[in-house]
Amino acid sequence: MEQQTFKSLLNQFSFDDILPEFKALYQQNQPKQVQHANWEAYRSVYQKLQMHDVSESQYAIYLVSRWEGCSPMIDMNCSVYDPKDEDSDYYPVASYSPWSALLGMDIHIDEDVTITLQELTAGLLWEITYYGETEEMIQKHLKKMFK
């Protein structure tokens, strides 16, 4: 797979292109809430991300198999790390800010993960919206969690 960034994936696919994979991911992770999911709200977030500015970052997104053995497919474990520092700490994509930096990060995929680009894009959308639909919502949620 050639080097990708989250932004390059967003530009390759429309929301409808990744919607089946996103719905499958939602069904797997939130089966009781999938019937109430607002797909148009996710479409809006996706389209805003497509238009969002990108900034440079020293970090990259790292995708590995989940320890539970749920991977391959789109049930994944995404982290942000510094690829030039072996001792780098790893941060969850779901809580990483700013999104402009996240969008421009190279994506590194562990060799034991088999995933399509549509699945990867859907999974990254899942991760980035895990705590909310905007960076502000995410920060408010995280502050409540870690009071």
Side-chain angles (χ1 to χ4, degrees):
M1 187 179 297
E2 69 182 60
Q3 192 60 51
Q4 298 285 335
T5 65
F6 189 14
K7 182 71 169 196
S8 70
L9 292 170
L10 291 167
N11 290 334
Q12 285 180 51
F13 303 107
S14 71
F15 181 73
D16 290 330
D17 292 336
I18 62 108
L19 185 55
E21 288 83 1
F22 191 73
K23 284 182 176 180
L25 183 59
Y26 210 103
Q27 175 66 45
Q28 182 176 350
N29 289 286
Q30 297 291 332
K32 293 178 181 174
Q33 296 170 347
V34 71
Q35 66 189 22
H36 304 293
N38 183 344
W39 306 119
E40 291 309 308
Y42 285 107
R43 178 186 306 277
S44 177
V45 171
Y46 192 87
Q47 291 169 339
K48 287 177 185 173
L49 288 169
Q50 286 177 310
M51 309 265 293
H52 204 292
D53 291 333
V54 175
S55 62
E56 289 189 35
S57 174
Q58 72 188 47
Y59 298 103
I61 296 171
Y62 188 41
L63 173 64
V64 298
S65 296
R66 291 180 55 122
W67 66 270
E68 301 98 330
C70 296
S71 195
M73 299 305 286
I74 55 179
D75 186 18
M76 57 190 183
N77 187 7
C78 289
S79 301
V80 173
Y81 78 112
D82 184 347
K84 294 178 181 156
D85 179 1
E86 278 185 27
D87 298 323
S88 171
D89 289 332
Y90 287 73
Y91 304 95
V93 166
S95 61
Y96 190 85
S97 188
W99 282 0
S100 60
L102 194 62
L103 290 169
M105 291 179 190
D106 287 338
I107 300 169
H108 300 191
I109 301 173
D110 208 21
E111 61 189 40
D112 66 342
V113 175
T114 303
I115 192 166
T116 69
L117 293 179
Q118 290 89 339
E119 290 170 331
L120 178 58
T121 308
L124 289 169
L125 178 63
W126 173 265
E127 292 283 331
I128 201 171
T129 59
Y130 191 78
Y131 293 118
E133 298 172 16
T134 67
E135 289 178 90
E136 293 78 20
M137 288 173 71
I138 292 166
Q139 292 309 311
K140 285 180 186 176
H141 180 81
L142 292 173
K143 281 181 183 175
K144 285 182 188 177
M145 279 179 54
F146 297 108
K147 270 186 169 179

